[in-house]
Coordinates of all heavy atoms in Angstrom, one line a residue:
M1 N 74.8 109.6 100.1 CA 75.4 110.8 100.7 C 75.6 111.8 99.6 O 76.1 111.5 98.6 CB 76.7 110.4 101.4 CG 77.4 111.5 102.1 SD 77.0 112.0 103.8 CE 76.7 110.6 104.7
P2 N 75.3 113.1 99.9 CA 75.5 114.1 98.9 C 77.0 114.4 98.6 O 77.8 114.0 99.4 CB 74.9 115.4 99.5 CG 74.3 114.9 100.8 CD 74.6 113.5 101.1
S3 N 77.3 115.0 97.5 CA 78.7 115.2 97.2 C 79.3 116.4 98.0 O 80.4 116.4 98.3 CB 78.8 115.6 95.7 OG 78.4 114.5 94.9
F4 N 78.4 117.3 98.4 CA 78.9 118.5 99.1 C 78.0 118.8 100.3 O 76.8 118.6 100.2 CB 79.0 119.7 98.2 CG 79.8 119.6 97.0 CD1 79.3 119.2 95.8 CD2 81.2 119.7 97.1 CE1 80.1 119.1 94.7 CE2 82.0 119.6 96.0 CZ 81.4 119.2 94.8
I5 N 78.6 119.2 101.4 CA 77.8 119.5 102.6 C 78.3 120.8 103.1 O 79.5 121.0 103.2 CB 78.0 118.4 103.7 CG1 77.6 117.0 103.2 CG2 77.2 118.7 105.0 CD1 78.1 115.9 104.1
V6 N 77.4 121.7 103.5 CA 77.8 123.0 104.1 C 77.3 122.9 105.5 O 76.1 122.9 105.8 CB 77.2 124.2 103.3 CG1 77.5 125.5 104.0 CG2 77.6 124.2 101.9
L7 N 78.2 123.0 106.5 CA 77.9 123.0 107.9 C 78.2 124.5 108.4 O 79.2 125.0 108.1 CB 78.8 122.1 108.7 CG 78.7 120.6 108.4 CD1 79.8 119.8 109.2 CD2 77.3 120.1 108.8
N8 N 77.3 125.0 109.1 CA 77.5 126.3 109.7 C 77.5 126.3 111.2 O 76.8 125.5 111.8 CB 76.3 127.3 109.3 CG 76.3 127.6 107.8 OD1 77.2 128.3 107.3 ND2 75.4 127.1 107.1
S9 N 78.4 127.0 111.8 CA 78.6 127.0 113.2 C 78.8 128.5 113.7 O 79.2 129.3 112.9 CB 79.7 126.1 113.7 OG 80.9 126.6 113.3
K10 N 78.6 128.7 115.0 CA 78.9 130.0 115.6 C 80.3 130.2 115.9 O 80.7 131.3 116.1 CB 78.0 130.1 116.8 CG 76.5 130.1 116.5 CD 75.7 130.3 117.7 CE 74.2 130.3 117.3 NZ 73.3 130.5 118.5
G11 N 81.1 129.2 115.9 CA 82.5 129.3 116.2 C 83.3 128.0 115.9 O 82.7 127.0 115.7
A12 N 84.6 128.1 116.0 CA 85.5 127.0 115.7 C 86.8 127.2 116.5 O 87.2 128.3 116.7 CB 85.7 126.8 114.2
S13 N 87.4 126.1 116.8 CA 88.8 126.1 117.4 C 89.5 124.9 117.0 O 89.0 123.9 116.5 CB 88.6 126.2 118.9 OG 88.0 125.0 119.4
L14 N 90.8 124.9 117.2 CA 91.7 123.8 117.0 C 92.1 123.2 118.3 O 92.6 123.9 119.2 CB 92.9 124.2 116.2 CG 92.7 124.5 114.7 CD1 94.0 125.0 114.1 CD2 92.2 123.3 114.0
R15 N 91.8 121.9 118.5 CA 92.2 121.2 119.8 C 92.9 119.9 119.5 O 92.3 119.1 118.8 CB 91.0 121.0 120.6 CG 90.4 122.2 121.2 CD 89.3 121.8 122.3 NE 88.3 122.9 122.2 CZ 87.0 122.7 122.4 NH1 86.5 121.5 122.7 NH2 86.2 123.7 122.3
D16 N 94.1 119.8 119.9 CA 94.8 118.5 119.7 C 94.8 118.1 118.2 O 94.7 117.0 117.8 CB 94.3 117.4 120.5 CG 94.4 117.7 122.0 OD1 95.4 118.3 122.4 OD2 93.4 117.3 122.7
G17 N 95.0 119.1 117.3 CA 95.1 118.9 115.9 C 93.7 118.6 115.2 O 93.7 118.2 114.1
K18 N 92.6 118.8 116.0 CA 91.3 118.6 115.4 C 90.5 119.9 115.4 O 90.6 120.7 116.3 CB 90.5 117.6 116.3 CG 91.1 116.2 116.3 CD 90.3 115.3 117.1 CE 90.9 113.9 117.1 NZ 90.1 113.0 117.9
L19 N 89.7 120.1 114.3 CA 88.9 121.2 114.2 C 87.6 120.9 115.0 O 86.9 119.9 114.7 CB 88.5 121.5 112.7 CG 87.5 122.6 112.4 CD1 88.0 123.9 112.9 CD2 87.1 122.6 111.0
V20 N 87.3 121.8 115.9 CA 86.1 121.6 116.7 C 85.1 122.8 116.4 O 85.5 123.9 116.6 CB 86.5 121.6 118.2 CG1 85.2 121.5 119.1 CG2 87.4 120.5 118.5
L21 N 83.9 122.4 115.9 CA 82.9 123.4 115.6 C 82.0 123.6 116.8 O 81.6 122.6 117.4 CB 82.1 123.0 114.4 CG 82.9 122.8 113.1 CD1 81.9 122.3 112.0 CD2 83.6 124.1 112.7
A22 N 81.7 124.8 117.2 CA 80.9 125.1 118.3 C 79.6 125.7 117.8 O 79.6 126.6 116.9 CB 81.6 126.1 119.3
G23 N 78.5 125.3 118.4 CA 77.2 125.9 118.0 C 76.8 125.6 116.6 O 76.3 126.4 115.8
V24 N 77.0 124.3 116.2 CA 76.7 123.9 114.8 C 75.1 123.9 114.7 O 74.4 123.5 115.5 CB 77.2 122.4 114.6 CG1 76.7 121.9 113.2 CG2 78.7 122.4 114.7
L25 N 74.7 124.5 113.5 CA 73.3 124.6 113.3 C 72.7 123.2 113.0 O 73.3 122.3 112.5 CB 73.0 125.5 112.1 CG 73.5 127.0 112.3 CD1 73.1 127.8 111.1 CD2 72.9 127.6 113.5
P26 N 71.4 123.1 113.4 CA 70.8 121.8 113.3 C 70.5 121.3 111.8 O 70.3 120.1 111.6 CB 69.4 121.9 114.0 CG 69.2 123.4 114.1 CD 70.5 124.0 114.0
N27 N 70.5 122.2 110.9 CA 70.3 121.9 109.5 C 71.5 122.2 108.7 O 72.2 123.2 108.9 CB 69.1 122.7 108.9 CG 67.8 122.2 109.4 OD1 67.4 121.1 109.2 ND2 67.1 123.1 110.1
S28 N 71.9 121.4 107.7 CA 73.0 121.6 106.8 C 72.5 121.6 105.4 O 71.5 121.0 105.0 CB 74.0 120.4 107.0 OG 74.5 120.4 108.3
I29 N 73.2 122.3 104.6 CA 72.9 122.4 103.1 C 73.7 121.2 102.5 O 74.8 121.0 102.7 CB 73.4 123.7 102.5 CG1 72.7 124.9 103.2 CG2 73.1 123.8 101.0 CD1 73.3 126.2 103.0
V30 N 73.0 120.5 101.6 CA 73.6 119.4 100.9 C 73.3 119.6 99.4 O 72.2 120.0 99.0 CB 73.0 118.0 101.3 CG1 73.5 117.7 102.8 CG2 71.5 118.0 101.2
F31 N 74.3 119.3 98.6 CA 74.1 119.4 97.1 C 75.1 118.5 96.4 O 76.1 118.1 96.9 CB 74.2 120.8 96.6 CG 75.4 121.5 96.9 CD1 76.4 121.7 95.9 CD2 75.7 122.1 98.1 CE1 77.6 122.4 96.2 CE2 76.8 122.8 98.4 CZ 77.8 123.0 97.4
A32 N 74.8 118.1 95.2 CA 75.6 117.3 94.3 C 75.6 118.0 92.9 O 74.6 118.6 92.5 CB 75.0 115.9 94.2
G33 N 76.8 117.8 92.2 CA 76.9 118.4 90.9 C 76.8 117.4 89.8 O 76.3 117.7 88.7
R34 N 77.3 116.2 90.0 CA 77.3 115.2 89.0 C 77.2 113.8 89.6 O 77.7 113.7 90.7 CB 78.5 115.3 88.1 CG 78.5 116.6 87.3 CD 79.7 116.6 86.3 NE 79.7 117.7 85.4 CZ 79.6 119.0 85.7 NH1 79.5 119.4 86.9 NH2 79.7 119.9 84.7
P35 N 76.6 112.9 89.0 CA 76.0 112.9 87.7 C 74.6 113.6 87.7 O 74.1 113.9 86.7 CB 75.9 111.5 87.3 CG 75.8 110.7 88.5 CD 76.6 111.5 89.5
V36 N 74.0 113.6 88.8 CA 72.7 114.3 88.9 C 72.8 115.5 89.8 O 73.3 115.5 90.9 CB 71.7 113.3 89.6 CG1 70.3 114.0 89.8 CG2 71.5 112.0 88.8
R37 N 72.3 116.6 89.3 CA 72.4 117.8 90.1 C 71.2 117.9 91.1 O 70.0 117.7 90.6 CB 72.3 119.0 89.1 CG 73.5 119.1 88.3 CD 73.5 120.2 87.2 NE 74.5 120.0 86.3 CZ 75.5 120.8 86.1 NH1 75.6 121.9 86.7 NH2 76.4 120.5 85.2
A38 N 71.5 118.1 92.3 CA 70.5 118.1 93.3 C 70.9 119.0 94.5 O 72.1 119.2 94.7 CB 70.2 116.7 93.9
A39 N 69.9 119.5 95.2 CA 70.3 120.4 96.3 C 69.1 120.3 97.4 O 68.0 120.0 97.0 CB 70.4 121.8 95.9
G40 N 69.5 120.6 98.6 CA 68.4 120.5 99.6 C 69.1 120.7 101.0 O 70.2 121.2 101.1
H41 N 68.3 120.4 102.0 CA 68.8 120.5 103.4 C 68.6 119.1 104.1 O 67.8 118.3 103.7 CB 67.9 121.5 104.2 CG 68.1 122.9 103.8 ND1 67.4 123.4 102.7 CD2 68.9 123.8 104.2 CE1 67.7 124.7 102.5 NE2 68.7 124.9 103.4
D42 N 69.4 118.9 105.1 CA 69.3 117.6 105.9 C 69.7 118.0 107.3 O 70.4 119.0 107.6 CB 70.3 116.6 105.3 CG 69.9 115.2 105.8 OD1 68.9 115.0 106.5 OD2 70.7 114.2 105.5
L43 N 69.1 117.2 108.2 CA 69.5 117.4 109.6 C 71.0 117.1 109.8 O 71.5 116.0 109.3 CB 68.6 116.6 110.6 CG 67.2 117.0 110.6 CD1 66.4 115.9 111.5 CD2 67.0 118.4 111.2
T44 N 71.7 117.9 110.5 CA 73.1 117.7 110.8 C 73.3 116.4 111.5 O 74.3 115.6 111.2 CB 73.7 118.9 111.5 OG1 73.5 120.1 110.8 CG2 75.2 118.7 111.7
T45 N 72.4 116.0 112.4 CA 72.5 114.7 113.1 C 72.4 113.5 112.1 O 73.1 112.5 112.3 CB 71.4 114.6 114.2 OG1 70.2 114.8 113.6 CG2 71.6 115.6 115.3
H46 N 71.6 113.7 111.1 CA 71.5 112.6 110.1 C 72.9 112.5 109.3 O 73.3 111.3 109.0 CB 70.4 112.8 109.1 CG 69.1 112.7 109.7 ND1 67.9 113.1 109.0 CD2 68.6 112.2 110.9 CE1 66.9 112.8 109.8 NE2 67.3 112.3 110.9
I47 N 73.5 113.6 109.0 CA 74.8 113.5 108.3 C 75.8 112.8 109.1 O 76.5 112.0 108.6 CB 75.2 114.9 107.9 CG1 74.2 115.5 106.8 CG2 76.6 115.0 107.4 CD1 74.4 117.0 106.6
V48 N 75.9 113.2 110.4 CA 76.8 112.5 111.3 C 76.5 111.0 111.4 O 77.4 110.2 111.4 CB 76.8 113.2 112.7 CG1 77.7 112.4 113.7 CG2 77.3 114.6 112.6
E49 N 75.2 110.7 111.6 CA 74.9 109.2 111.7 C 75.2 108.5 110.4 O 75.6 107.3 110.5 CB 73.3 109.1 111.9 CG 72.9 109.6 113.3 CD 71.4 109.8 113.4 OE1 70.7 109.6 112.4 OE2 71.0 110.2 114.5
D50 N 75.1 109.1 109.3 CA 75.3 108.4 108.0 C 76.8 108.4 107.5 O 77.1 107.8 106.5 CB 74.5 109.0 106.9 CG 73.0 108.7 107.1 OD1 72.7 107.8 107.8 OD2 72.2 109.5 106.4
W51 N 77.7 109.1 108.3 CA 79.1 109.3 107.9 C 79.8 108.0 107.4 O 80.5 107.9 106.5 CB 79.8 109.9 109.0 CG 81.2 110.4 108.6 CD1 82.4 109.8 108.7 CD2 81.4 111.8 108.1 NE1 83.4 110.6 108.3 CE2 82.8 111.8 107.9 CE3 80.6 112.8 107.8 CZ2 83.4 113.0 107.4 CZ3 81.3 114.0 107.3 CH2 82.6 114.0 107.1
A52 N 79.5 106.9 108.2 CA 80.3 105.6 107.9 C 79.3 104.5 107.3 O 79.7 103.4 107.2 CB 80.9 105.1 109.2
K53 N 78.1 104.9 106.9 CA 77.2 103.9 106.4 C 77.4 103.7 104.9 O 77.8 104.6 104.2 CB 75.7 104.3 106.6 CG 75.3 104.3 108.0 CD 73.8 104.6 108.2 CE 73.4 104.5 109.6 NZ 72.0 104.9 109.8
G54 N 77.1 102.5 104.5 CA 77.2 102.1 103.0 C 78.6 101.8 102.6 O 79.6 102.0 103.4
S55 N 78.8 101.2 101.4 CA 80.1 100.8 100.9 C 80.9 102.0 100.5 O 82.1 101.9 100.5 CB 79.9 99.8 99.8 OG 79.2 100.4 98.7
D56 N 80.3 103.1 100.0 CA 81.0 104.3 99.5 C 80.7 105.4 100.5 O 79.8 106.2 100.3 CB 80.5 104.6 98.1 CG 81.3 105.8 97.5 OD1 82.4 106.1 98.0 OD2 80.7 106.4 96.6
N57 N 81.5 105.4 101.6 CA 81.2 106.4 102.7 C 82.4 107.3 103.0 O 83.5 107.1 102.5 CB 80.7 105.7 103.9 CG 81.8 104.8 104.5 OD1 82.8 105.2 104.8 ND2 81.5 103.5 104.6
F58 N 82.1 108.3 103.8 CA 83.1 109.3 104.1 C 84.2 108.8 105.1 O 85.3 109.3 105.2 CB 82.5 110.6 104.7 CG 81.9 111.4 103.6 CD1 80.8 112.2 104.0 CD2 82.3 111.5 102.3 CE1 80.1 113.0 103.0 CE2 81.7 112.3 101.4 CZ 80.6 113.0 101.7
A59 N 83.8 107.7 105.9 CA 84.8 107.1 106.8 C 85.9 106.5 106.0 O 87.1 106.5 106.4 CB 84.1 106.2 107.7
K60 N 85.6 105.8 104.9 CA 86.5 105.1 104.0 C 87.2 106.1 103.1 O 88.4 105.9 102.7 CB 85.9 104.0 103.2 CG 85.4 102.9 104.0 CD 84.7 101.8 103.1 CE 84.1 100.7 104.0 NZ 83.4 99.8 103.2
D61 N 86.5 107.1 102.6 CA 87.1 108.1 101.6 C 86.7 109.5 102.1 O 85.7 110.0 101.7 CB 86.5 107.8 100.3 CG 87.1 108.7 99.2 OD1 88.2 109.3 99.4 OD2 86.6 108.7 98.1
P62 N 87.5 110.0 103.1 CA 87.1 111.3 103.7 C 87.0 112.4 102.7 O 87.8 112.5 101.7 CB 88.3 111.6 104.6 CG 88.9 110.2 104.9 CD 88.7 109.5 103.6
P63 N 86.0 113.3 102.9 CA 85.8 114.4 102.0 C 86.9 115.5 102.2 O 87.5 115.6 103.3 CB 84.4 114.9 102.3 CG 84.3 114.6 103.8 CD 85.0 113.2 104.0
N64 N 87.1 116.3 101.2 CA 87.9 117.5 101.4 C 87.0 118.5 102.2 O 85.8 118.4 102.2 CB 88.3 118.1 100.1 CG 89.3 117.3 99.3 OD1 90.0 116.5 99.9 ND2 89.2 117.3 98.0
A65 N 87.7 119.5 102.8 CA 86.9 120.5 103.6 C 87.6 121.8 103.4 O 88.8 121.9 103.2 CB 86.9 120.0 105.0
T66 N 86.9 122.8 103.5 CA 87.4 124.2 103.6 C 86.7 124.9 104.8 O 85.6 124.6 105.1 CB 87.3 124.9 102.3 OG1 87.9 126.2 102.4 CG2 85.8 125.2 101.9
V67 N 87.5 125.8 105.4 CA 86.9 126.5 106.5 C 86.9 128.0 106.1 O 88.0 128.5 105.6 CB 87.7 126.3 107.8 CG1 87.2 127.2 108.9 CG2 87.8 124.9 108.2
S68 N 85.8 128.6 106.2 CA 85.8 130.1 105.9 C 85.2 130.8 107.0 O 84.4 130.2 107.9 CB 85.0 130.3 104.6 OG 83.7 130.0 104.7
S69 N 85.5 132.1 107.1 CA 85.0 132.9 108.3 C 84.6 134.3 107.8 O 85.2 134.8 106.8 CB 86.1 133.0 109.3 OG 85.8 133.9 110.3
F70 N 83.7 134.9 108.5 CA 83.3 136.2 108.2 C 84.0 137.2 109.2 O 83.6 138.4 109.2 CB 81.8 136.4 108.3 CG 81.1 135.7 107.2 CD1 80.4 134.5 107.5 CD2 81.1 136.1 105.9 CE1 79.7 133.8 106.5 CE2 80.5 135.4 104.9 CZ 79.8 134.3 105.2
I71 N 84.9 136.7 109.9 CA 85.6 137.6 110.9 C 86.8 138.3 110.2 O 87.6 137.6 109.5 CB 86.1 136.8 112.1 CG1 84.9 136.1 112.8 CG2 86.9 137.6 113.1 CD1 85.3 135.1 113.9
K72 N 86.9 139.5 110.3 CA 87.9 140.3 109.6 C 89.4 139.8 109.8 O 90.1 139.6 108.8 CB 87.9 141.8 110.1 CG 88.9 142.7 109.4 CD 88.8 144.1 109.9 CE 89.9 144.9 109.3 NZ 89.9 146.3 109.8
D73 N 89.8 139.4 110.9 CA 91.2 139.0 111.2 C 91.3 137.5 111.3 O 92.3 137.0 111.8 CB 91.7 139.6 112.4 CG 91.8 141.1 112.3 OD1 92.1 141.6 111.2 OD2 91.6 141.9 113.3
A74 N 90.4 136.7 110.7 CA 90.4 135.3 110.8 C 91.5 134.7 109.9 O 92.0 135.4 109.0 CB 89.0 134.7 110.5
L75 N 91.8 133.5 110.1 CA 92.8 132.8 109.2 C 92.2 132.7 107.8 O 91.0 132.6 107.6 CB 93.1 131.4 109.8 CG 93.7 131.3 111.2 CD1 93.8 129.9 111.6 CD2 95.1 131.9 111.1
P76 N 93.1 132.6 106.8 CA 92.7 132.5 105.5 C 92.1 131.1 105.2 O 92.2 130.2 106.0 CB 93.9 132.7 104.6 CG 95.0 132.4 105.6 CD 94.6 132.7 106.9
F77 N 91.5 130.9 104.1 CA 90.9 129.6 103.7 C 92.0 128.5 103.7 O 93.1 128.7 103.4 CB 90.4 129.6 102.2 CG 89.1 130.4 102.1 CD1 89.2 131.7 101.6 CD2 87.9 129.9 102.4 CE1 88.0 132.5 101.5 CE2 86.8 130.6 102.2 CZ 86.8 131.9 101.8
R78 N 91.6 127.3 104.1 CA 92.5 126.2 104.1 C 91.7 125.0 103.7 O 90.6 124.7 104.2 CB 93.0 126.0 105.5 CG 94.0 124.8 105.6 CD 94.7 124.8 106.9 NE 95.6 123.6 106.9 CZ 96.9 123.7 107.0 NH1 97.4 124.9 107.2 NH2 97.6 122.6 107.0
V79 N 92.2 124.1 102.9 CA 91.6 122.9 102.4 C 92.3 121.7 103.1 O 93.5 121.6 103.1 CB 91.6 122.8 100.9 CG1 91.0 121.5 100.4 CG2 90.9 124.0 100.3
S80 N 91.5 120.8 103.6 CA 92.0 119.6 104.2 C 91.0 118.5 104.1 O 90.0 118.6 103.4 CB 92.3 119.9 105.7 OG 91.1 120.2 106.3
S81 N 91.3 117.3 104.7 CA 90.4 116.2 104.7 C 89.8 116.0 106.1 O 90.5 116.2 107.1 CB 91.1 114.9 104.3 OG 91.5 114.9 103.0
R82 N 88.5 115.7 106.1 CA 87.9 115.4 107.4 C 87.7 113.9 107.5 O 87.2 113.3 106.6 CB 86.5 116.0 107.5 CG 86.5 117.6 107.3 CD 87.2 118.3 108.4 NE 88.6 118.1 108.2 CZ 89.6 118.6 108.9 NH1 89.4 119.3 110.0 NH2 90.8 118.5 108.6
T83 N 88.1 113.3 108.6 CA 88.1 111.9 108.7 C 86.9 111.4 109.5 O 86.4 110.3 109.3 CB 89.4 111.3 109.4 OG1 89.6 112.0 110.6 CG2 90.6 111.6 108.4
A84 N 86.4 112.1 110.5 CA 85.3 111.6 111.3 C 84.6 112.8 112.0 O 85.3 113.6 112.6 CB 85.8 110.6 112.3
P85 N 83.3 112.8 111.9 CA 82.6 113.8 112.7 C 82.4 113.3 114.1 O 82.5 112.1 114.4 CB 81.2 113.9 112.0 CG 81.0 112.5 111.5 CD 82.4 112.0 111.1
A86 N 82.3 114.2 115.1 CA 82.0 113.8 116.5 C 80.9 114.6 117.1 O 80.5 115.6 116.6 CB 83.3 113.9 117.3

């Protein structure tokens, strides 16, 4: 699993304490900084399928996340942990 994943969507909302992305694009950007620098694209469905696979996975050790927006009056950046994609 890559160290960093960029998911893009057309919208987002908070429902019952969960971030819900709407219109998620089918491809995501993936990259790693160390120990090997790498970058590329992967299908978003593959990322979701691989979330809990392997001994060192995001289900056991959730990644940090940040949400950013290009909307003028949107909420500021916020960093949190993501526990499970749906």
Side-chain angles (χ1 to χ4, degrees):
M1 180 82 45
S3 296
F4 302 97
I5 303 168
V6 179
L7 299 172
N8 289 293
S9 71
K10 294 180 180 181
S13 62
L14 290 174
R15 289 190 213 147
D16 299 322
K18 295 181 181 181
L19 175 66
V20 178
L21 300 177
V24 176
L25 297 183
N27 289 298
S28 296
I29 300 167
V30 293
F31 59 99
R34 291 189 172 55
V36 176
R37 295 174 194 244
H41 292 87
D42 197 2
L43 292 175
T44 303
T45 54
H46 290 170
I47 293 169
V48 172
E49 291 167 357
D50 291 342
W51 194 267
K53 288 185 179 176
S55 60
D56 183 21
N57 63 58
F58 286 148
K60 291 180 184 174
D61 186 13
N64 292 331
T66 185
V67 176
S68 64
S69 173
F70 292 108
I71 299 171
K72 181 180 176 184
D73 296 324
L75 296 174
F77 289 99
R78 181 173 180 120
V79 176
S80 61
S81 291
R82 300 296 78 180
T83 55

